[in-house]
Amino acid sequence: MATSMARRFVVEACVAAMAFALLAAPSSGQLDPHFYDKACPAALPTIRRVVEEAVAAEPRMGASLLRLHFHDCFVNGCDGSILLDDTPFFTGEKKASPNVNSVRGFDVIDRIKAAVNAACRGNVVSCADIVAVAARDSVVALGGPSYNVPLGRRDARTASQSAANNSIPAPTFSLDRLASSFASHGLSLQDLVVLSGGHTLGFSRCTNFRDRLYNETAALDGPLAASLRAVCPRATGGGDDNLAPLDPTPARFDGAYFTSLLRRRGVLHSDQQLFAGGLGATDALVRFYAANPDAFRRDFAEAMVRMASLGPLTGASGEIRYDCRKVNYS
């Protein structure tokens, strides 16, 4: 009987060990920076080449590709849904309020997809992964930090204009609403501050800062306000698409965004909300990153990895689109 019990113990122990091993082993649904190493080792160098060409031709494109990734991930996860054109079956995200006449870079993604398909000799790399890698390569091209992008996302077969309207933080948001939006995606207050630092790159349209310009004069640096009024008239509709840089060095990844906030020179209401000059948590983070640009670079890279891992489709979910603008059956 003792022998029988011993055998049973050994069998149960082996079963338990096997079960633990299965749970501990990486699942097919996990993202991996080396996902394409064997399937197509030319994929990432090809993405980098096309991004570098696009950013060299128009430095603003780097910020646009970074923003495209952010707007993709904040709507049902990083699934490439922002790239889909409208169809008779759904109204996509391109015409949502945060995106229409604003989000750009779709043509660059198209060029990358064509180049990657040629390099891989087939449809191997998802559009969602292309957006994620293009954002990283854009940051690097403009002097920012590199980081390992987790890969293996698949592409959504649908998109939602209403989800985009409800999920992407607006430039008019208060600090509380910004924090709530990020928290709904599992991102912390520090992630909010450091990812907002992506506004060290690029420009904003007049329509996004007009209200701050004319109604928040006490919270806006006077000389900056004067320069902004030259490109953004008070009347709604006049000059809506005129651009102003989000910080003094819009084509260089640096800490100028945070030093601007310290001087009340945040162009967007949502940006200046991070620093009110008090003792709040975001005030302390803004001061810290303004004084420690290397820490900003490190923490930005880490936060980008967290954001890039939001709600991916993996395994048998979704598809790998042949054309990033439409699902494969259309």
Side-chain angles (χ1 to χ4, degrees), residues 48-306:
R48 182 174 64 249
R49 174 180 59 78
V50 180
V51 168
E52 288 175 348
E53 291 171 354
V55 173
E58 183 194 4
R60 181 187 168 206
M61 185 54 68
S64 297
L65 291 172
L66 175 60
R67 185 163 177 253
L68 186 66
H69 181 38
F70 177 86
H71 282 220
D72 183 37
C73 290
F74 261 56
V75 183
N76 297 322
C78 309
D79 60 3
S81 57
I82 195 171
L83 305 175
L84 289 171
D85 291 336
D86 294 349
T87 76
F89 306 103
F90 63 80
T91 302
E93 300 165 24
K94 290 181 177 179
K95 295 179 182 176
S97 295
N99 296 333
V100 66
N101 298 323
S102 179
V103 170
R104 57 199 292 271
F106 300 108
D107 55 333
V108 177
I109 299 299
D110 290 341
R111 293 204 301 273
I112 296 172
K113 180 63 173 175
V116 169
N117 281 1
C120 298
R121 299 185 179 182
N123 187 38
V124 176
V125 181
S126 69
C127 300
D129 276 347
I130 286 174
V131 171
V133 175
R136 187 272 311 276
D137 291 346
S138 294
V139 168
V140 173
L142 294 173
S146 187
Y147 52 92
N148 290 324
V149 180
L151 299 169
R153 301 166 192 78
R154 289 168 66 84
D155 298 321
R157 294 191 178 101
T158 189
S160 171
Q161 184 181 86
S162 61
N165 283 329
N166 293 326
S167 300
I168 299 172
T172 56
F173 271 16
S174 66
L175 178 58
D176 285 345
R177 292 189 71 184
L178 289 167
S180 177
S181 175
F182 274 67
S184 72
H185 296 285
L187 297 172
S188 69
L189 204 62
Q190 182 176 12
D191 290 326
L192 163 62
V193 174
V194 76
L195 289 173
S196 295
H199 285 172
T200 184
L201 302 175
F203 295 75
S204 178
R205 297 163 63 228
C206 163
T207 189
N208 289 326
F209 60 83
R210 177 183 282 118
D211 188 65
R212 167 162 165 74
L213 176 59
Y214 292 102
N215 296 311
E216 299 179 20
T217 53
L220 180 61
D221 174 72
L224 175 64
S227 66
L228 292 177
R229 284 194 291 269
V231 298
C232 187
R234 182 187 292 269
T236 301
D240 280 1
D241 293 330
N242 291 349
L243 299 174
L246 287 165
D247 86 351
T249 54
R252 185 171 72 239
F253 191 100
D254 56 23
Y257 168 81
F258 294 108
T259 57
S260 292
L261 297 186
L262 297 179
R263 299 168 58 198
R264 297 182 296 117
R265 294 179 65 89
V267 174
L268 301 179
H269 172 83
S270 55
D271 284 337
Q272 196 61 56
Q273 284 288 291
L274 302 180
F275 185 79
L279 300 176
T282 60
D283 292 81
L285 285 166
V286 169
R287 288 190 181 97
F288 175 74
Y289 289 129
N292 298 277
D294 288 341
F296 166 50
R297 293 171 64 87
R298 178 199 65 219
D299 292 349
F300 180 84
E302 293 176 357
M304 285 295 291
V305 172
R306 285 191 289 276

